[in-house]
Amino acid sequence: MADNIEAEAPHNNFDTILVLDFGSQTSHLILRRLRSLKVYAEMLPCTTKLADLPFQPKGIVLSGGPSSVYDQGAPHVDPAVFDLGVPILGICYGCQELAWRINSENVARGQVREYGHADVVIHKTGDTHTDRLFAGLGEEMHAYMSHFDKLVKLPEGFVVVASTKNSEYAGIAHQTKPIYGVQFHPELEHTPRGTEILRNFAIDICGAQASWVMKDFIQKEIVRIRHLVGDRAQVIGAVSGGVDSTVAAKLMKEAIGDRFHAILVDNGVMRLNECEQVKETLEKHLGINLTVVNGAELFLSRLKGVNEPEKKRKIIGGTFIDLFQEEALRIEREAENTPNAGPVEWFLQGTLYPDVIESVSYKGPSATIKTHHNVGGLPETLKLKLIEPLREMFKDEVRKFGEELGIHRDLVMRHPFPGPGIAIRILGEVTPERVAIARAADHIFISEIKAAGVYDEMSQAYVAVSQDRAVGVQGDARVYGYIAILRAVKTLDFMSAEPYEFDFGLLKKISTRIVNEVDGIARVTYDITSKPPGTIEME
């Protein structure tokens, strides 16, 4: 019985705060702030039916969102949320949702969006229950507002616990029930003491235990994996050299030993010397059972003439599946009459929580930006079950997880590399010539930022190659070459990102080397687009 309990999902092992997403671009930051407090949190769409919820949360947060409660088709939460008997915190739109459900006249359609910094005055009611949300925060705090609709009446049964110059009801609390609402965004860095509000809610009001630590999660996850896989089944999984697949592979090795088979597919769109480096890392340093499959010609032949990004992703994903199917059959045959004999039943993926959020976010105001190569299940032709041990984790948590597993820091801090490889960093058609150009330029870029000692200051960096060409002069000759696009960003969670602020001298040095040393590049640019509105990868 104990093993069964230990084998359950994290929300059954850790006190969990459930965030119901109304389509806000910052909903994920609520999770990040809660997890930084060592409180486990999960996010689901606001349309989730509570009857289908497989666990009992310690509390519920209703996120912000871009809609008006008066919009046709505006999202509304399942009324059963209010019958669970757990504390509720409404943020921005979530606060309006609380008030609107009690009486629609409590909320007025906005005329002008209130956007930016505001000074919040905290009102002490003298009641320890209603004062709990702002406990320890003094009399005033700075906050960040971003809302259109506005509370214009105090909902029945509530008292005012905070106000601003433009929002009389910036914070409300129910007099007897553990239900609270704020019109500002405590999850944003622009609200400096917002994390304290979330701590008051999650730990003091909800009573959640601050037990979400990687060391505990590793042991629970190893037990869960052994329970899922059983004593005989084998597992295959793709590795690319990135931190996600490396950490997932090491975890599987710890859980089931040589019954895990890591497969590195040389798809023809890997970085320079990538396959050799991954082979040495996984086999020599981590002791992982690794097979390298040469599929370069197959991938490049299927990508020939394809320009559309989503089609490229699907072709690459489908070709991976074809090769994995062949490897699964080979592994089963070779394992016959050995101690590891057993069917290949599972497929390992290094899916992270941002992958899940981006691909299955609430589809009203926040539409899916792209199909993620790690999300959406496996095709029926593969006939394998999916195992995703990192699915509930953010990138920084995966890195801590890797360090706890004993993986060298250089590997844990390595920048992410997408499953489709540099194919999604080559805008337009992927050809052997353009792959060689992208590889060489990327190698120079990464080498220079490492030599300058700034590699760890950025979260991801790479070179993309535009399909456009530009005129240049090299020596006395006129050249007509591609444009290289440098991309480097800083981020905590990969849900949002800011461009890295380079020293201009270093940028010039990188540009000079790429133009001089990479045949086919005529110009170099630096992409300074944030996410949002851009994405981190080009395609």
Side-chain angles (χ1 to χ4, degrees):
M1 180 66 178
D3 279 351
N4 288 339
I5 294 171
E6 290 293 305
E8 292 175 341
H11 51 236
N12 288 327
N13 277 307
F14 298 91
D15 287 351
T16 301
I17 302 297
L18 173 62
V19 177
L20 292 176
D21 172 40
F22 284 86
S24 170
Q25 293 293 332
T26 64
S27 295
H28 67 284
L29 294 178
I30 303 171
L31 272 74
R32 294 298 304 116
R33 299 292 174 263
L34 290 169
R35 292 195 188 185
S36 72
L37 297 167
K38 296 184 173 59
V39 174
Y40 183 68
E42 286 186 9
M43 190 170 90
L44 290 172
C46 59
T47 50
T48 299
K49 296 298 181 185
L50 270 293
D52 300 330
L53 197 65
F55 66 98
Q56 174 78 8
K58 294 290 287 186
I60 293 175
V61 177
L62 307 180
S63 84
S67 298
S68 163
V69 290
Y70 290 101
D71 287 346
Q72 185 175 3
H76 294 293
V77 74
D78 182 354
V81 163
F82 303 100
D83 298 327
L84 275 181
V86 301
I88 298 171
L89 171 63
I91 294 175
C92 196
Y93 182 94
C95 180
Q96 295 154 17
E97 171 79 355
L98 289 174
W100 181 84
R101 280 200 168 275
I102 294 170
N103 186 333
S104 61
E105 293 183 0
N106 292 331
V107 181
R109 182 182 286 276
Q111 300 299 318
V112 179
R113 177 177 287 273
E114 186 178 8
Y115 185 82
H117 293 276
D119 291 323
V120 176
V121 176
I122 298 168
H123 300 272
K124 302 294 184 184
T125 66
D127 183 330
T128 55
H129 165 73
T130 53
D131 288 342
R132 293 177 83 184
L133 190 66
F134 289 91
L137 288 166
E139 298 179 351
E140 192 171 290
M141 61 177 285
H142 296 296
Y144 192 81
M145 292 282 193
S146 178
H147 63 91
F148 190 58
D149 289 348
K150 186 177 180 179
L151 266 66
V152 292
K153 290 184 179 179
L154 185 65
E156 184 180 352
F158 282 76
V159 294
V160 178
V161 292
S163 64
T164 70
K165 183 178 180 181
N166 295 317
S167 293
E168 184 180 353
Y169 309 112
I172 59 175
H174 196 279
Q175 291 175 305
T176 57
K177 298 176 183 178
I179 302 177
Y180 303 82
V182 293
Q183 279 284 268
F184 56 88
H185 288 270
E187 73 272 23
L188 296 179
E189 291 181 6
H190 304 304
T191 303
R193 302 188 71 180
T195 300
E196 294 176 57
I197 292 174
L198 293 174
R199 184 200 177 281
N200 286 344
F201 177 71
I203 295 177
D204 295 339
I205 296 172
C206 299
Q209 295 294 311
S211 57
W212 176 244
V213 292
M214 289 303 101
K215 187 175 291 186
D216 292 343
F217 182 62
I218 287 172
Q219 295 308 315
K220 290 178 177 7
E221 193 62 13
I222 286 174
V223 172
R224 188 180 79 90
I225 290 168
R226 288 172 178 166
H227 177 80
L228 282 174
V229 174
D231 297 330
R232 293 185 64 252
Q234 301 189 74
V235 179
I236 62 172
V239 291
S240 66
V243 61
D244 306 339
S245 63
T246 299
V247 171
K250 177 63 174 174
L251 178 63
M252 293 303 298
K253 167 71 176 177
E254 293 293 316
I256 62 171
D258 288 340
R259 287 190 291 135
F260 170 64
H261 306 265
I263 299 173
L264 173 64
V265 176
D266 182 355
N267 56 11
V269 287
M270 303 288 279
R271 289 174 288 203
L272 191 65
N273 303 321
E274 184 82 6
C275 289
E276 293 81 358
Q277 291 175 8
V278 174
K279 195 171 189 301
E280 180 177 0
T281 297
L282 267 65
E283 281 190 334
K284 183 177 178 182
H285 298 299
L286 299 180
I288 291 170
N289 191 2
L290 177 68
T291 298
V292 180
V293 177
N294 187 355
E297 287 188 14
L298 178 62
F299 277 89
L300 291 174
S301 67
R302 291 185 177 182
L303 288 168
K304 187 175 182 179
V306 178
N307 289 282
E308 205 275 316
E310 196 69 5
K311 191 172 181 182
K312 281 198 278 188
R313 284 179 173 271
K314 290 185 182 301
I315 288 171
I316 291 168
T319 307
F320 268 122
I321 295 301
D322 291 344
L323 293 176
F324 288 139
Q325 184 71 66
E326 293 178 11
E327 285 304 303
L329 294 172
R330 181 192 62 78
I331 289 166
E332 279 190 12
R333 287 195 303 269
E334 292 184 359
E336 290 177 1
N337 302 317
T338 74
N340 285 333
V344 175
E345 294 184 0
W346 294 88
F347 185 87
L348 172 73
Q349 274 192 175
T351 309
L352 302 191
Y353 209 54
D355 304 339
V356 177
I357 292 171
E358 286 190 347
S359 293
V360 296
S361 59
Y362 172 64
K363 298 302 192 297
S366 180
T368 298
I369 295 167
K370 65 184 179 184
T371 299
H372 201 283
H373 59 274
N374 269 4
V375 178
L378 297 172
E380 292 183 6
T381 53
L382 194 54
K383 293 181 171 50
L384 296 177
K385 292 172 282 188
L386 193 59
I387 187 166
E388 301 171 297
L390 311 180
R391 186 181 174 92
E392 291 88 8
M393 301 173 74
F394 287 92
K395 183 73 71 174
D396 60 315
E397 293 173 323
V398 171
R399 290 194 164 117
K400 291 175 185 174
F401 194 100
E403 288 177 346
E404 289 288 345
L405 285 168
I407 299 174
H408 194 276
R409 189 178 185 278
D410 287 348
L411 287 172
V412 169
M413 297 306 296
R414 197 173 189 212
H415 291 178
F417 186 63
I422 57 179
I424 58 172
R425 296 173 177 177
I426 296 172
L427 307 185
E429 184 180 5
V430 178
T431 66
E433 175 208 9
R434 302 186 75 210
V435 169
I437 289 170
R439 274 182 180 154
D442 187 80
H443 183 69
I444 290 170
F445 186 34
I446 300 302
S447 297
E448 285 295 337
I449 61 178
K450 284 183 175 179
V454 297
Y455 180 84
D456 286 349
E457 293 179 11
M458 51 193 78
S459 307
Q460 189 164 345
Y462 64 88
V463 176
V465 176
S466 171
Q467 57 188 332
D468 297 321
R469 294 177 185 249
V471 173
V473 178
Q474 294 180 4
D476 294 324
R478 178 181 181 276
V479 297
Y480 190 53
Y482 292 110
I483 300 169
I485 306 168
L486 309 183
R487 181 80 163 135
V489 298
K490 296 181 69 173
T491 177
L492 288 175
D493 49 35
F494 290 83
M495 294 295 296
S496 59
E498 293 296 325
Y500 179 77
E501 295 185 17
F502 270 99
D503 172 78
F504 191 64
L506 178 57
L507 267 183
K508 282 173 44 178
K509 182 180 180 183
I510 292 166
S511 174
T512 300
R513 278 199 63 192
I514 290 174
V515 171
N516 287 345
E517 298 177 31
V518 182
D519 188 26
I521 295 290
R523 297 196 185 196
V524 176
T525 65
Y526 180 48
D527 180 358
I528 60 167
T529 311
S530 300
K531 175 187 179 180
T535 55
I536 294 176
E537 292 291 348
M538 289 288 163
E539 295 188 341

